[in-house]
Amino acid sequence: MNITNYADLLNAARQQAEPQRLLFVFTLPEMPEGYSEAQVQRFHAGTGGVLIPQMCTDKALDELGDFSDLVEESRHTGQDWKIVFVACLAGRAGVMPSSEDAQEPLKTMIHSIQNGAISNYLAYDRDGEPVLFA
């Protein structure tokens, strides 16, 4: 299945044989340590910096609405973010993973993002547009 937007992601998750819990890590770009002038220019152009996790959460599919609902809920935390990374955690034997089950995968996801290993995740900006990294 080709996932081109957030709605496609939710539909794909609903079609899986096992129930899915979605994992979200919200990030904000910052300047890297020891940055160069070129990095500063890219950062101010909106194409550079390193992504720093600000907050994370997990949600069962029945807890999720459209992307604007996710943005609105995040607004209540008071934490700013620019890009959210999303992954799915599959259940077993028809049982939905719990929030407790999601804690270690969320930690792994945060660690991966901090190390720039983001290819296993989908990413969206605050408008719900997919973000592709070169």
Side-chain angles (χ1 to χ4, degrees):
M1 171 176 274
N2 189 20
I3 298 174
T4 60
N5 58 44
Y6 183 74
D8 288 348
L9 170 63
L10 296 183
N11 288 332
R14 288 184 183 104
Q15 293 176 16
Q16 300 306 303
E18 294 291 348
Q20 304 289 307
R21 179 168 289 278
L22 273 69
L23 311 178
F24 299 90
V25 176
F26 298 82
T27 66
L28 196 60
E30 292 183 4
M31 289 298 301
E33 290 184 28
Y35 55 84
S36 68
E37 184 58 36
Q39 288 173 311
V40 170
Q41 290 174 356
R42 284 194 306 273
F43 181 80
H44 290 297
T47 60
V50 294
L51 293 168
I52 306 298
Q54 302 297 303
M55 61 183 164
C56 64
T57 192
D58 62 278
K59 299 279 185 184
L61 279 172
D62 62 359
E63 298 176 299
L64 293 166
D66 63 21
F67 195 81
S68 64
D69 294 335
L70 184 69
V71 171
E72 182 59 30
E73 184 176 338
S74 75
R75 192 171 287 134
H76 294 290
T77 68
Q79 292 287 322
D80 192 18
W81 62 276
K82 299 290 183 211
I83 296 176
V84 61
F85 289 90
V86 186
C88 291
L89 178 63
R92 292 190 186 131
V95 177
M96 169 73 67
S98 67
S99 279
E100 184 176 306
D101 295 331
Q103 295 311 300
E104 282 304 313
L106 275 169
K107 287 178 187 175
T108 299
M109 201 171 163
I110 289 167
H111 181 72
S112 295
I113 292 166
Q114 289 171 327
N115 288 302
I118 57 175
S119 63
N120 291 333
Y121 311 118
L122 294 173
Y124 299 94
D125 66 17
R126 287 188 73 93
D127 295 324
E129 295 296 320
V131 177
L132 302 175
F133 297 91

